[in-house]
Amino acid sequence: MESLENWRVLNQHLNTFEEPTVLAMLEHEIKNRRRAMFLQRLHQRYNALRVSRERIELLSKARAV
């Protein structure tokens, strides 16, 4: 995964990836290099994407006012 080569490349591309890709990157980092800052940043982005998706799903069930 070339986006995990260094911090600069990760931050350049991370906001363009969708939730499944970020999760795969997080799992790859956990299994391989285990760099704390990379794990934290990937988890932060994955969590933001997941929360956004869940909020959309939740609000789609809301009653219109």
Side-chain angles (χ1 to χ4, degrees):
M1 296 194 164
E2 67 183 53
S3 293
L4 292 175
E5 279 301 310
N6 63 57
W7 187 251
R8 183 176 175 198
V9 174
L10 174 67
N11 282 313
Q12 281 179 333
H13 299 285
L14 192 55
N15 287 337
T16 66
F17 298 132
E18 295 181 2
E19 185 180 349
T21 304
V22 177
L23 179 58
M25 292 170 70
L26 179 58
E27 291 171 347
H28 182 269
E29 186 67 24
I30 290 169
K31 291 177 185 174
N32 293 285
R33 299 189 65 185
R34 301 185 305 259
R35 297 169 289 187
M37 288 190 66
F38 280 65
L39 291 171
Q40 182 176 355
R41 180 67 179 108
L42 288 165
H43 181 263
Q44 179 184 40
R45 179 64 181 153
Y46 173 69
N47 192 49
L49 291 169
R50 183 183 56 78
V51 166
S52 178
R53 174 184 48 81
E54 289 176 355
R55 185 173 297 119
I56 290 167
E57 291 170 358
L58 178 67
L59 294 176
S60 73
K61 298 173 182 152
R63 194 173 38 168
V65 179

